[in-house]
Amino acid sequence: MRIPSLTMRLSLMFALAVLSVLLLAGILFKQLSMMHFGILDQQELSGKAQSAVSILQTVTDRQAFERRLPELRALLSHHPGLAAMIRGPEGELWFAEPAALQVPARLLAGLSGQPWEWESQDRFYRGLNRELQLPGGRTLRIELVLDSTLHQRYLHSLTHWFWIAFSLCALFSAGLGWLVARNGLRPVRSVTQVVSSISAQSLSGRIPMDDVPGELQGLAQSFNAMLQRLDDDFVRLSSFSSDIAHELRTPISNLITHTEVVLSRQRRSEEYREALYSNLEELQRMAKMVEQMLFIAKADNALIVPERQPVEMFALVKQLFEYYELLAEEDGISLCCTGQGTLMGDAAMLRRALSNLLSNAIRHSVEGGTVRVDIVTGTQGLEVSVSNVGSVIPPEHIERLFDRFYRADPARREGQSSHAGLGLAITRSIVQSHGGSLACESSGGCTRFTAFFPQACPASRS
């Protein structure tokens, strides 16, 4: 079943609302008109009945009544729709003007002064009777009947034309509602047009907020934010693919060139062995790069689950210091570790993460400087920071430091064999797999990487 469009729904709701108001107004108008005509008839009947009583109040018998007939006829003469019947004490008809009407007996038996109405031969009547006491306990009955057929025909005609007008208003309101809904939904169509024009090649498009109504501002802002994230991720993915090509092109070119040179002439077996060892180093570097990329891919897909065992961080840092001690001594860099703390985690993965941070700190530290590792255990978790004194990383590079193959130094962004730019990305993946976070701050000649782990051992907190 096809779902009605939003324009159709709004048009129908608009038409339904208009017709509901018209129907209610029509019903109220008809009821008020009926009440108005009923009050007019009642006032006329009551007035005539009171006048008739005033004329006949001195009547004592039939002869006295006959003498009052001229006044009675004068009272009724200017009201052609009004009929009067006066019955004597025995119920005999003394007077009927213009003619005696067949009034239903159940209505004649009603109380004096109580209005009644009936319909006969397509004509509608309203009546009123009054009783006048004669001497001797006798009763003179005055019956007044008003023909209100014109009023009823007016109401019937009014109802007829109302339904015609109601039908025309239904069509008009539906058409007007369609125009209003279509114009009102114009911003939605504009948003839809912008959204439909966005593709993988045009993620830079945004919904213009100036033309978006207030009800859609939140949706448009959220969509623009989503587009911005997709654009950023798409740019990073494109850069990642380009970086992979650049990083693999250099060692492959080296291997091809070196192999071609070796095969260009006949050589001794020792030279071939030396050439193979050289090629093996390049292949090992490429294998390491592939292994690092595979590790990051697994971490992104939550396929790496670290072991949970107590890891004494101070001892782990000291082991790394022993490994990097000779490298640091070459540049006169001293290594310093402060603080204690135990973390529930995977020792091998944590060693790899800290090794990457230490390697970077030593490589970018000034000659004769100090690389510090500070371990702080707090109530919220354990914090390990690695800092060095050296060149400050510009702020625009800090957010992208943890991207794959990204290097803050433009001169090192392509084809460097020693570092592929995956270390910080791997470190962040390891920290995040432990539920932590990794941040960098660089100012005043000092660069600090801080890893925060929320799950420190309770013993270490004490």
Side-chain angles (χ1 to χ4, degrees):
M1 181 178 178
R2 184 177 180 181
I3 300 177
S5 65
L6 193 57
T7 302
M8 179 64 70
R9 294 184 186 186
L10 292 177
S11 301
L12 293 178
M13 286 190 289
F14 178 81
L16 184 60
V18 171
L19 295 179
S20 299
V21 173
L22 287 177
L23 183 61
L24 180 61
I27 293 174
L28 288 177
F29 183 76
K30 183 179 180 180
Q31 293 298 325
L32 291 175
S33 298
M34 293 173 62
M35 186 182 301
H36 171 72
F37 289 132
I39 292 175
L40 288 179
D41 294 344
Q42 177 66 24
Q43 289 177 348
E44 185 171 358
L45 288 172
S46 298
K48 295 302 179 183
Q50 184 62 37
S51 299
V53 169
S54 299
I55 293 173
L56 301 175
Q57 61 183 353
T58 58
V59 172
T60 56
D61 52 18
R62 182 68 179 266
Q63 289 74 18
F65 175 78
E66 296 292 341
R67 289 193 295 271
R68 295 293 183 179
L69 283 179
E71 297 178 45
L72 192 60
R73 287 194 174 93
L75 177 65
L76 303 175
S77 60
H78 300 292
H79 300 278
L82 182 64
M85 292 168 289
I86 299 177
R87 300 179 188 277
E90 302 300 331
E92 69 278 18
L93 186 63
W94 284 6
F95 175 79
E97 184 72 24
L101 294 175
Q102 295 296 326
V103 181
R106 58 183 178 83
L107 300 178
L108 293 176
L111 298 177
S112 176
Q114 187 72 27
W116 33 269
E117 57 188 28
W118 81 96
E119 187 174 1
S120 175
Q121 297 179 353
D122 296 332
R123 300 193 72 83
F124 189 82
Y125 299 97
R126 284 195 173 93
L128 183 69
N129 56 30
R130 293 289 296 273
E131 292 182 351
L132 181 63
Q133 295 297 324
L134 298 178
R138 296 175 300 169
T139 303
L140 188 66
R141 187 180 182 88
I142 303 172
E143 299 171 358
L144 296 176
V145 176
L146 182 63
D147 187 352
S148 61
T149 304
L150 291 178
H151 293 169
Q152 294 301 318
R153 287 178 179 174
Y154 169 76
L155 292 175
H156 290 162
S157 177
L158 180 67
T159 304
H160 173 74
W161 285 108
F162 170 77
W163 285 114
I164 294 176
F166 186 81
S167 301
L168 294 176
C169 286
L171 296 176
F172 179 74
S173 59
L176 182 62
W178 184 83
L179 289 176
V180 171
R182 184 171 178 78
N183 290 331
L185 293 175
R186 184 175 299 168
V188 177
R189 290 198 300 276
S190 301
V191 171
T192 304
Q193 187 175 4
V194 173
V195 172
S196 60
S197 65
I198 293 175
S199 63
Q201 287 74 32
S202 60
L203 288 175
S204 59
R206 297 292 183 271
I207 299 174
M209 300 301 296
D210 295 338
D211 299 332
V212 177
E215 293 82 355
L216 298 177
Q217 289 277 346
L219 177 62
Q221 290 175 353
S222 300
F223 189 80
N224 284 341
M226 183 190 70
L227 283 179
Q228 184 63 47
R229 292 193 297 271
L230 286 175
D231 193 15
D232 294 341
D233 291 342
F234 194 79
V235 170
R236 290 183 182 182
L237 183 60
S238 301
S239 301
F240 176 66
S241 301
S242 177
D243 290 338
I244 289 177
H246 286 308
E247 293 297 332
L248 293 178
R249 182 184 62 182
T250 300
I252 291 176
S253 297
N254 292 339
L255 285 173
I256 293 175
T257 303
H258 188 255
T259 303
E260 289 176 345
V261 171
V262 171
L263 296 177
S264 60
R265 61 181 176 86
Q266 190 69 29
R267 298 178 185 275
R268 292 180 289 109
S269 58
E270 290 78 7
E271 293 176 332
Y272 284 120
R273 184 178 293 105
E274 183 179 353
L276 288 176
Y277 276 122
S278 177
N279 290 349
L280 180 60
E281 291 179 359
E282 288 294 332
L283 290 172
Q284 287 176 341
R285 195 182 76 83
M286 293 174 60
K288 181 181 179 181
M289 184 188 304
V290 172
E291 184 271 333
Q292 290 175 337
M293 292 169 54
L294 182 61
F295 180 88
I296 295 174
K298 289 182 177 179
D300 289 344
N301 292 280
L303 298 178
I304 295 178
V305 180
E307 296 181 358
R308 297 294 179 182
Q309 58 184 0
V311 179
E312 178 57 50
M313 298 303 293
F314 183 82
L316 181 63
V317 173
K318 283 298 183 182
Q319 292 176 5
L320 293 172
F321 277 3
E322 293 177 359
Y323 179 80
Y324 286 105
E325 186 175 7
L326 294 178
L327 178 63
E329 286 180 357
E330 291 180 0
D331 296 326
I333 299 172
S334 58
L335 303 176
C336 176
C337 180
T338 63
Q340 294 283 344
T342 303
L343 178 67
M344 293 296 296
D346 190 304
M349 293 175 66
L350 293 173
R351 182 182 296 108
R352 185 175 185 178
L354 288 177
S355 175
N356 289 335
L357 295 178
L358 277 175
S359 174
N360 280 341
I362 294 172
R363 189 165 65 252
H364 296 289
S365 177
V366 297
E367 186 174 352
T370 300
V371 173
R372 293 180 56 87
V373 178
D374 298 308
I375 304 171
V376 179
T377 304
T379 56
Q380 301 297 322
L382 186 142
E383 186 177 281
V384 180
S385 61
V386 180
S387 59
N388 68 278
V389 177
S391 301
V392 175
I393 302 175
E396 62 269 20
H397 294 299
I398 289 182
E399 292 186 357
R400 300 198 57 190
L401 281 178
F402 305 105
D403 291 350
R404 303 162 191 175
F405 298 112
Y406 187 80
R407 301 182 183 96
D409 185 1
R412 298 172 54 82
R413 288 184 184 176
E414 181 180 350
Q416 295 298 313
S417 59
S418 56
H419 301 283
L422 294 173
L424 289 178
I426 292 175
T427 302
R428 185 179 63 174
S429 297
I430 292 174
V431 174
Q432 290 178 343
S433 68
H434 285 76
S437 60
L438 181 62
C440 173
E441 54 183 344
S442 181
S443 62
C446 179
T447 300
R448 179 192 303 271
F449 287 86
T450 303
F452 175 76
F453 301 92
Q455 297 179 350
C457 282
S460 66
R461 296 174 184 169
S462 62

